[in-house]
Amino acid sequence: YSKVVFLSAINNPKELIATKEKEIIKNLNVNFISFIFLIKKILKKNISKKKNCSIVLITSLYSKLGRKGRFLYSVSKHALLGIMRNICVEYGNKGIRINAVSPGFVDTKMTRNNLDLKAINKIKNYSPKKKLVTKYEVANLINFLLSDESSSITGQEIIIDSGISVN
């Protein structure tokens, strides 16, 4: 049984027209294209050995939304959801399960580097839970999706965002 988590991202806020070609290629390579090459190897290995496999992609709340200055990040996370849905349909009958976890604002270094304290407090106040998501909450969700307890869950995007997306 194989368990795979794909968590790879560059998230440098910048408007599209100010983004250089090299930055576009690098962002898409890290956030999206690298997964295509990885998933091909995972599929070949697991299908040839008739092994079950559970895959979790880490996308983002911005796989559902757009955000100023986050064009490449948002688009690459949208693309991962497209891969997830297609892998589910094409390989689900071969023991492959694949899901996506889309965190909102998680209390991490990246969040604190990209947002000042005023913005973080605004997000907390906007959230029905009045808090940022913790990295442990995200990890617990990933562990559940990788486990046999979630054996009928596949092709799904699960948003974990303290309720921000519904407010």
Side-chain angles (χ1 to χ4, degrees), residues 141-152:
L141 177 56
I142 293 166
N143 282 332
F144 170 71
L145 290 172
L146 292 172
S147 76
D148 288 337
E149 294 174 353
S150 65
S151 62
S152 291

Side-chain angles (χ1 to χ4, degrees), residues 2 7 14 18 21 34 42 51 67 77 80 97 101 106 119 139 146 158 164-166:
S2 297
L7 169 61
K14 191 182 253 188
E21 248 180 68
S34 61
I42 291 167
K51 291 174 70 177
R67 185 167 180 208
K77 297 303 182 173
L80 285 174
R97 284 192 308 119
V101 171
V106 181
L146 292 172
I158 299 173
I164 288 174
S165 60
V166 296

Side-chain angles (χ1 to χ4, degrees), residues 21-39:
E21 248 180 68
K22 286 182 179 180
E23 292 174 293
I24 293 169
I25 292 166
K26 181 179 179 180
N27 271 266
L28 292 177
N29 278 337
V30 169
N31 295 8
F32 173 67
I33 293 171
S34 61
F35 182 68
I36 295 172
F37 295 113
L38 178 66
I39 194 66

Side-chain angles (χ1 to χ4, degrees), residues 1 15 17-18 30 40 62 82 92 94 106 127 132 138 155 164 167:
Y1 195 92
E15 288 190 29
I17 60 172
V30 169
K40 281 182 66 172
Y62 291 103
K94 294 182 173 29
V106 181
S127 160
L132 298 180
V138 176
I164 288 174
N167 191 14

Side-chain angles (χ1 to χ4, degrees), residues 11 62 65-71 74 105 114-115 119 123:
N11 183 9
Y62 291 103
L65 309 169
R67 185 167 180 208
K68 185 178 180 182
R70 309 292 174 142
F71 178 85
S74 181
F105 293 95
N114 287 338
L115 301 170
I123 291 164

Side-chain angles (χ1 to χ4, degrees), residues 105-122:
F105 293 95
V106 181
D107 197 353
T108 62
K109 277 185 182 179
M110 186 171 80
T111 298
R112 294 196 178 271
N113 285 339
N114 287 338
L115 301 170
D116 61 24
L117 189 57
K118 183 178 176 183
I120 289 171
N121 287 331
K122 185 177 178 181

Side-chain angles (χ1 to χ4, degrees), residues 34-77:
S34 61
F35 182 68
I36 295 172
F37 295 113
L38 178 66
I39 194 66
K40 281 182 66 172
K41 289 181 180 184
I42 291 167
L43 291 171
K44 283 180 184 178
K45 177 183 173 187
N46 285 279
I47 291 168
S48 68
K49 293 183 178 181
K50 297 187 187 240
K51 291 174 70 177
N52 287 329
C53 181
S54 181
I55 303 162
V56 176
L57 304 174
I58 307 304
T59 59
S60 168
L61 180 58
Y62 291 103
S63 66
K64 301 297 265 182
L65 309 169
R67 185 167 180 208
K68 185 178 180 182
R70 309 292 174 142
F71 178 85
L72 290 172
Y73 182 75
S74 181
V75 165
S76 66
K77 297 303 182 173

